[in-house]
């Protein structure tokens, strides 16, 4: 007889290394709850499928870090705003940039797609809100009124209004048809981080850094209720699809609210840190958060979360009777009228006022769009997700709920596997099929290969590779003997301390020596000294500086650096491989055409010593590049970001064949 297993209410689904630099923005597709887009300081937008470890597509074109992202309702378009104020819209099915929208003068802080028409709203650090027509590549109207950065924008479900939240502590409601401010909601005492329309009723929710959630009536333009008993700022809010309650994301917790009267139905502890976005699919709430270069996704089973008709947690006044929530569909408020067609165009008066704002496409914008591209990292996932119309299927696949882990599962088993290790296991065993969901915890525990060093050591990690704190402490023979003498514990911890100090002191001394050569001589001599030290970590530190300024690169440096790059590309350290790829890409882009031209040129008449020296250097570089090309070919079959980098290098090195 099968024993019923109690499953968790909330659990961590996945952690991925999303970018080579810090992640700056994360958004979930609201249509399926399975699409994830991330933006980073590396100026890229990466597209992922939730619960899958590999990037599906990488979108390039921006030249400054990504500040804001948004996916349209049918998940066919994505818009990204950058630190420079530029906005780009990509067509995910066609895998190409659709529009470049210049106009803002500062960071893009917020974006949102219109629910019906081909329109996008953008809010910026320049305090302006712009409405864009994606088809016509122009700004339709600019709304001015906020005095500080606009942090969140939301179109109403009927597409007639747009709500804005800003650092000036206000929430404003704008009429798109009339092109003017309808009402300004005041009451928050801190920056307002997020706003959200009720899916059916004329009701608006706002969350602020003042640690309150406020509900606003959009007919009477007054506050309905305010929930004030929170300990951390409100980061994101989301109404349940039927409008029965509001989910609010806080630091490490999810709270479920009602608003008439104000009450908290439940508090779910989720260790997601600073949650960035929420989405609902299959009665499961998906939440994503990011820290440095990693993005984590979490799942909350809404079947186990009370949404009404339960004893609320605090917030209900003792002198007020508990009024049951109004059933869905019998609201006392007005309900949105959703048009069956796209939204009506603004009136001619609005067009006249905004005519000067409209931007005519220029050759510079066209060039920007040509430079923007979409790199498809995973062809199979791309075809499955973004090109479903190419195949006729009478029974399309459904998004199944994520299986919940058992309640009594040890936490250490789930924490044992880091995302980079999961990728390594999958790439080393490509032919194996994934096990049943019930077996996943067993994989997590059996993958405690953390005892053996992985083939690639990730650049960003929160713990040493192959080390556990328990290894440095004496084994406890009896549960009662848990107390340790301080001296004994410290002696165990200090076992490897002196060795590590020697290593770090030596590295510091080597870097000082290289720095002294650089300050008294040129970059070539400093690189020579770094290579002579025979310490790859010093070479990596130096290359990371040189890579920041391409003008420092000369042909002389290539002859010195290329043998070191060959070693870096074969290193087990991810950071070494990243530095090697960056340096090699710079050399190929700047010097490979020069090298091939000089080698192909006919011999000169007479004696030209400088030309002979240059020819000798080019021959040496060509020989070294041929050796490196074999390494790049072998690595180009890898999956994930590394495989993409090596495949890009392989294309650049095609002229060597």
């Amino acid at each position: 007889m099968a024993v019923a297993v109690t499953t968790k209410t909330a659990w961590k689904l996945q952690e991925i290394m999303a970018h080579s630099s810090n992640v700056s923005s994360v958004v979930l597709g609201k249509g399926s709850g399975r699409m994830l887009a991330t933006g980073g300081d590396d100026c890229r937008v990466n597209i992922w499928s939730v619960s899958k470890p590999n990037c599906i597509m990488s979108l390039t074109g921006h030249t400054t870090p990504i500040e804001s992202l948004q996916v349209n309702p049918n998940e066919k378009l994505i818009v990204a705003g950058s630190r420079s104020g530029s906005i780009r819209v990509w067509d995910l099915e066609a895998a190409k940039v659709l529009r470049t929208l210049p106009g803002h003068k500062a960071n893009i802080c917020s974006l949102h797609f219109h629910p019906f028409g081909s329109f996008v709203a953008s809010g910026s650090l320049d305090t302006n809100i712009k409405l864009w027509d994606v088809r016509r590549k122009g700004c339709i109207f600019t709304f001015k009124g906020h005095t500080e950065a606009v942090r969140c924008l939301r179109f109403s479900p009927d597409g007639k209004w747009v709500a804005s939240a800003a650092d000036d502590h206000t929430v404003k409601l704008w009429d798109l048809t009339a092109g003017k401010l309808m009402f300004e909601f005041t009451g928050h005492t801190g920056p307002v981080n997020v706003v959200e329309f009720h899916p059916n009723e004329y009701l608006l929710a706002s969350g602020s850094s003042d640690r309150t959630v406020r509900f606003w009536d959009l007919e009477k333009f007054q506050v309905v209720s305010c929930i004030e008993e929170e300990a951390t700022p409100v980061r994101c809010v989301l109404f349940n699809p039927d409008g029965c309650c509001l989910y609010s994301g806080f630091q490490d917790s999810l709270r479920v609210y009602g608003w008439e009267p104000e009450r908290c139905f439940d508090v779910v502890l989720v260790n997601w840190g600073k949650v960035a976005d929420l989405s609902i699919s299959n009665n499961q709430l998906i939440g994503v958060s990011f820290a440095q270069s990693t993005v984590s996704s979490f799942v909350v089973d809404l079947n186990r979360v009370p949404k009404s008709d339960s004893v609320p947690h605090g917030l209900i006044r003792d002198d007020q009777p508990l009024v049951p929530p109004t059933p869905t569909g019998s609201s006392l408020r007005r309900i949105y009228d959703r048009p069956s067609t796209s939204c009506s165009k603004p009136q001619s008066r609005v067009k006249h006022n905004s005519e000067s704002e409209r931007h005519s496409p220029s050759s510079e914008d066209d060039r920007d769009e040509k430079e923007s591209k979409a790199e498809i990292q995973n062809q199979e996932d791309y075809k499955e997700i973004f090109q479903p119309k190419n195949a006729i299927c009478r029974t399309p696949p459904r998004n199944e709920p994520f299986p919940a882990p058992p309640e009594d599962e040890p936490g250490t088993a789930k924490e044992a596997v880091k995302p980079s290790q999961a990728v390594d296991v999958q790439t080393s065993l490509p032919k194996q099929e994934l096990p049943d969901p019930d077996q996943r915890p067993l994989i997590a525990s059996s993958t405690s290969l953390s005892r053996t060093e992985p083939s690639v050591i990730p650049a960003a990690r929160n713990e040493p590779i192959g080390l556990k704190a328990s290894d440095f402490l004496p084994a406890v023979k009896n549960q009662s003997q848990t107390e340790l003498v301080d001296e004994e514990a410290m002696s165990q911890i200090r076992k490897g301390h002196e060795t590590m100090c020697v290593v770090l002191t030596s590295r510091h001394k080597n870097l000082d020596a290289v720095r002294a050569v650089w300050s008294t001589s040129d970059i070539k001599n400093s690189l020579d000294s770094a290579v002579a030290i025979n310490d790859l970590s010093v070479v990596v530190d130096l290359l990371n500086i040189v890579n920041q300024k391409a003008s420092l690169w000369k042909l002389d440096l290539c002859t010195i650096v290329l043998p070191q790059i060959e070693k870096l590309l074969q290193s087990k350290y991810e950071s070494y491989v990243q530095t090697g790829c960056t340096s090699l890409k710079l050399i190929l882009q700047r010097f490979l055409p020069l090298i091939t031209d000089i080698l192909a040129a006919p011999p000169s008449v007479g004696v030209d010593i400088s030309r002979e020296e240059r020819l000798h250097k080019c021959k040496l570089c060509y020989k070294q590049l041929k050796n490196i090309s074999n390494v790049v070919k072998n690595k180009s079959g890898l999956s994930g970001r590394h495989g993409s980098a090596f495949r890009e290098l392989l294309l650049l090195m095609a002229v060597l064949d």
Side-chain angles (χ1 to χ4, degrees):
M1 181 176 175
V3 179
V5 179
T6 305
T7 57
K8 289 186 175 183
T9 302
W11 66 94
K12 185 174 185 178
L13 183 66
Q14 186 187 33
E15 181 178 298
I16 55 175
M17 186 176 293
H19 290 267
S20 57
S21 58
N22 287 342
V23 176
S24 51
S25 182
V26 174
V27 70
L28 285 163
K30 300 300 187 288
S32 65
R34 294 295 192 269
M35 178 183 165
L36 172 67
T38 62
D41 287 351
D42 57 4
C43 310
R44 285 176 174 262
V45 177
N46 291 339
I47 309 298
W48 311 77
S49 178
V50 175
S51 82
K52 293 189 177 182
N54 297 328
C55 176
I56 299 171
M57 193 188 314
S58 187
L59 309 175
T60 61
H62 278 297
T63 56
T64 54
I66 308 299
E67 291 290 316
S68 183
L69 289 169
Q70 197 63 228
V71 181
N72 78 329
N74 60 17
E75 299 183 357
K76 293 180 180 179
L77 303 179
I78 185 169
V79 61
S82 72
R83 191 169 294 173
S84 65
S86 173
I87 299 171
R88 276 177 168 80
V89 184
W90 283 273
D91 185 327
L92 297 178
E93 286 189 345
K96 67 176 184 180
V97 68
L98 192 63
R99 288 286 181 265
T100 299
L101 307 172
H104 283 290
K105 297 178 175 62
N107 301 27
I108 304 298
C109 303
S110 52
L111 294 161
H112 200 238
F113 274 100
H114 193 276
F116 310 113
S118 300
F119 302 101
V120 173
S122 61
S124 171
L125 194 63
D126 64 12
T127 73
N128 292 332
I129 300 167
K130 288 182 180 289
L131 183 64
W132 307 88
D133 188 335
V134 176
R135 296 167 300 181
R136 297 184 181 181
K137 193 182 176 182
C139 177
I140 299 174
F141 200 78
T142 299
F143 298 98
K144 298 182 179 182
H146 283 292
T147 57
E148 293 187 45
V150 181
R151 294 297 175 185
C152 185
L153 292 170
R154 289 291 184 271
F155 284 103
S156 60
D158 60 2
K160 296 179 181 178
W161 304 332
V162 63
S164 60
D167 285 352
D168 58 11
H169 307 180
T170 65
V171 175
K172 295 180 187 290
L173 188 66
W174 309 86
D175 188 321
L176 297 180
T177 307
K180 65 180 183 179
L181 177 68
M182 285 184 61
F183 197 80
E184 177 180 314
F185 298 99
T186 58
H188 283 294
T189 58
V192 187
N193 301 323
V194 62
V195 287
E196 192 73 31
F197 282 95
H198 190 281
N200 304 311
E201 304 176 19
Y202 273 34
L203 183 75
L204 183 72
S206 61
S208 169
S209 293
D210 65 7
R211 303 174 182 178
T212 67
V213 177
R214 292 178 181 267
F215 297 89
W216 311 93
D217 190 310
L218 300 183
E219 282 189 287
K220 301 176 181 177
F221 297 109
Q222 63 185 27
V223 65
V224 175
S225 57
C226 176
I227 297 174
E228 301 177 342
E229 299 181 12
E230 307 307 339
T232 59
V234 186
R235 302 197 175 277
C236 49
V237 296
L238 181 67
F239 279 100
N240 199 66
D242 63 4
C244 65
C245 64
L246 178 81
Y247 302 106
S248 185
F250 293 84
Q251 177 87 20
D252 290 328
S253 70
L254 175 76
R255 294 172 184 262
V256 188
Y257 292 133
W259 48 90
E260 287 179 317
E262 63 267 26
R263 49 191 167 172
C264 181
F265 293 125
D266 197 10
V267 179
V268 182
L269 297 179
V270 191
N271 295 321
W272 52 27
K274 297 179 180 179
V275 61
D277 197 21
L278 302 173
S279 182
I280 294 176
S281 174
N282 295 311
N283 212 27
Q284 290 181 332
L285 183 139
I286 316 298
V288 288
S289 61
F290 61 91
Q292 296 180 340
S293 61
T294 60
V295 173
S296 303
S297 52
F298 298 79
V299 181
V300 179
D301 186 357
L302 298 182
N303 292 311
R304 302 187 58 187
V305 175
K307 305 176 186 67
S308 61
D309 301 328
S310 62
V311 179
H313 296 254
L315 296 178
I316 187 75
R317 309 293 190 264
D318 293 336
D319 57 348
Q320 293 178 347
L322 180 60
V323 181
T326 306
T328 305
S330 59
S331 170
L332 298 176
R333 289 189 185 81
R334 186 176 170 184
I335 295 177
Y336 294 107
D337 297 322
R338 289 177 173 81
S340 57
T341 59
S342 61
C343 71
S344 59
K345 296 180 180 179
Q347 293 175 359
S348 58
R349 181 179 62 82
V350 176
K351 287 185 178 180
H352 176 75
N353 290 342
S354 63
E355 202 65 35
S356 61
E357 306 266 355
R358 191 160 307 188
H359 177 78
S360 59
S362 64
S363 59
E364 183 180 351
D365 299 332
D366 294 336
R367 186 175 68 251
D368 286 344
E369 290 181 13
K370 288 178 182 177
E371 291 175 355
S372 304
K373 60 181 179 179
E375 300 171 2
I376 299 173
Q377 311 281 2
N378 191 317
Q379 193 72 33
E380 293 182 2
D381 286 345
Y382 169 75
K383 288 181 178 178
E384 177 185 350
I385 295 171
F386 296 115
Q387 295 185 335
K389 294 183 290 187
N390 293 348
I392 298 174
C393 181
R394 298 190 182 278
T395 56
R398 291 188 299 119
N399 281 331
E400 297 295 334
F402 294 114
E407 183 71 58
D408 56 349
E409 181 186 9
T412 53
K414 287 185 68 63
E415 300 291 339
V417 180
K418 296 295 178 185
S420 57
Q421 293 175 351
V423 173
D424 290 337
V425 171
Q426 288 190 1
T427 53
S428 60
L429 301 173
K431 298 298 182 184
Q432 289 188 4
E433 295 183 359
L434 291 175
D436 293 333
D438 296 337
Q439 300 296 324
R440 288 181 186 176
L442 298 178
I443 286 186
S445 58
S446 65
T447 326
S448 53
L449 303 169
S450 56
R451 303 299 302 160
T452 61
E453 223 174 73
S455 58
V456 176
I457 298 179
R461 57 185 186 272
N462 297 324
E463 59 185 25
I465 294 297
L467 296 180
K468 288 185 178 179
S470 58
D471 295 341
F472 294 89
L473 300 174
V476 180
K477 297 180 180 178
N478 197 337
Q479 285 294 95
S480 60
Q481 301 174 353
T482 56
E483 295 185 5
L484 295 174
V485 181
D486 290 347
E487 292 79 7
E488 190 176 336
M490 289 300 295
S491 65
Q492 294 289 333
I493 294 173
R494 287 178 177 272
K495 274 184 177 180
H497 178 69
E498 291 183 4
T499 305
M500 180 57 69
C501 285
V502 170
V503 171
L504 293 178
T505 303
S506 174
R507 182 173 178 181
H508 188 268
K509 182 180 177 181
N510 291 337
L511 287 171
D512 277 342
V514 173
R515 183 170 176 268
V517 174
W518 193 329
S519 59
T520 59
S521 184
D522 58 8
I523 180 64
K524 180 179 181 300
N525 290 330
S526 59
L527 263 172
D528 279 329
S529 63
V531 172
I533 290 171
N534 197 25
D535 184 352
L536 271 183
S537 63
V538 177
V539 175
V540 168
D541 289 337
L542 194 56
L543 285 178
N544 283 333
I545 297 170
V546 179
N547 289 342
Q548 298 297 320
K549 194 170 183 181
S551 60
L552 290 173
W553 285 92
K554 307 293 180 187
L555 195 58
D556 288 343
L557 292 187
C558 298
T559 58
I560 303 170
V561 171
L562 283 172
Q564 304 303 313
I565 289 178
E566 186 175 359
K567 296 178 184 177
L568 294 178
L569 296 182
Q570 299 177 79
S571 172
K572 64 181 178 180
Y573 296 104
E574 184 186 32
S575 59
Y576 287 20
V577 177
Q578 289 175 356
T579 301
C581 288
T582 304
S583 299
L584 182 57
K585 185 178 178 181
L586 279 169
I587 291 173
L588 292 173
Q589 289 175 336
R590 290 179 64 86
F591 296 104
L592 188 55
L594 172 68
I595 292 171
T596 53
D597 288 346
I598 290 177
L599 292 179
S604 61
V605 179
V607 178
D608 187 342
I609 296 176
S610 61
R611 187 183 186 284
E612 291 297 326
E613 288 179 352
R614 190 161 59 249
L615 181 62
H616 174 71
K617 292 172 186 174
C618 289
K619 286 181 178 178
L620 188 58
C621 289
Y622 186 85
K623 182 180 178 182
Q624 292 166 344
L625 286 171
K626 287 288 287 184
N627 293 336
I628 293 175
S629 67
N630 295 326
V631 178
V632 173
K633 283 179 184 177
N634 294 334
K635 300 275 189 179
S636 62
L638 295 175
S639 60
R641 190 179 69 252
H642 284 310
S644 174
F646 281 115
R647 285 189 288 274
E648 184 179 3
L649 291 173
L650 192 61
L651 289 174
L652 293 173
M653 302 179 82
V655 296
L656 296 173
D657 296 333

